[in-house]
Amino acid sequence: YRVALLDTAGGIAHLELTPLRDPYRNRLRELWIDTGTAYVREAIVQGVGNRAPFDRARWHVTFDRHQGATFVTEAHPVEPIPIGGTSPHISIEFENLNLLSLSPIKATFGIEAPVRYLRDP
C-alpha cells in the first residue's frame, strides 16, 4: 500500500491507503487508528466477500476491543448498493460477542482454520 496521513484530530490518525498491486485482494482504503493504543477504530474497505454486488461496494467497518482482541462490530455500505433494481438499506452488525476458549473448527473437525491464507477484509 501507499499510505498517506490525512488527519490526526482527537488522538485518531486517519490514513488513506492505495494498493500498489492486486486491489481486489488488497481492499483497505482508509483506516482510523487510535494514536495512543495503535488500535484500529474504523476502516473503509473496497468490497466485502467475494460475490457481486457486495465485493464491488465500499464499506465502512467499525471495530471494538474485547478481551484483548479487535473485532468487527458493524459494516455498512458507503453508497447504496443496487440489488434487483432497488437499493435496500444494508447493515451487518455483530452483537453479544462471546469468545470461546477453543476453536469450534478444531473441536468439530479436529483441524485448525488455515489462518495463514486469510487476507484483510
Side-chain angles (χ1 to χ4, degrees), residues 4 6 8 21 29 35 56 64 67 77 90 92 98 102-103 113:
L6 299 179
T8 56
R21 61 186 166 110
R29 298 299 184 263
T35 58
R56 294 191 177 100
D64 195 11
Q67 295 183 10
I90 297 171
I92 302 170
N98 292 310
L102 52 99
S103 167

Side-chain angles (χ1 to χ4, degrees), residues 45-62:
V45 296
Q46 184 64 48
V48 170
N50 62 357
R51 289 189 170 74
F54 305 107
D55 67 340
R56 294 191 177 100
R58 282 189 178 234
W59 292 78
H60 180 242
V61 181
T62 57

